[in-house]
Amino acid sequence: MELSLRATLLSLVAISLMCSCFAAAKDVECEVCTAVLQRLYDSVSNDDRTNAAKIEAKLKKDCKEIHQPQEHRFCYYVGGLEESATSTINELAKPLSWGMPVDKVCERLRKKDTQICDLKYEKELDWSTLDINKLKVKDLKKILGDWGEDCKGCAEKSDFVKKVQEVKSKYVKEEL
C-alpha cells in the first residue's frame, strides 16, 4: 500500500513538472508571430479592431515596411506580401477582429502552417560576458557578416578573433 502511494505521489510530481516546462516553452514558442500580431493589434485604432478587412489592410501595409528577416518571413507565410505563395491572412484577421488573444490566434495559425511558430528572433550577444576566443569560426564569420565587415586573408580562427576585436569598438557600445 505504501509503495503504491509513493508511486502515485512521484507520478503527480513528474506530471506537474512536465506541465510547468510545457507552459514555459509555450511562452516563447511563437515569439515572432506573437510579436508581429501584438504590434499590429496595438497599432490599429479601437474603431477598426472589430473590422477584419481593416486589420488585413493594416497588416499588408505593415509587412511592406518590415525589414527584420524573421518578421518578413512571417509576413510571407501568412500572405501579407505580394510575393507570398499562399494566404492565411484571413485566418488571423477574423479572430483578431473578434477580440481573440494574439497567442491564441498564433496557435490557430500554427495548425494551418507549423512554420509560423518555428520562426525565432536571433539572440543578442552579451558582450560583457562573451569570450570571443571560445566562439566557433562560423559564429565569428556571422558576427563580421552582420556588421558588414570582410575578413580578407583570414585563414585561421585566430585571424577571425583578431578582426572581430579590431572592429568591435565600432559596433558594440561598452557600458560603464
Side-chain angles (χ1 to χ4, degrees), residues 7-20:
T8 305
L9 186 59
L10 276 173
S11 297
L12 288 173
V13 169
I15 290 171
S16 68
L17 284 173
M18 288 183 352
C19 289
S20 65

Side-chain angles (χ1 to χ4, degrees), residues 34-70:
T34 304
V36 171
L37 293 186
Q38 189 63 56
R39 194 170 54 241
L40 168 72
Y41 191 74
D42 293 342
S43 68
V44 174
S45 69
N46 287 337
D47 296 336
D48 293 341
R49 285 187 179 171
T50 57
N51 187 332
K54 292 202 176 184
I55 292 173
E56 279 185 41
K58 177 75 169 124
L59 178 66
K60 286 182 178 181
K61 179 180 175 277
D62 289 355
C63 282
K64 289 179 183 176
E65 299 168 3
I66 287 178
H67 299 292
Q68 208 281 336
Q70 288 81 2

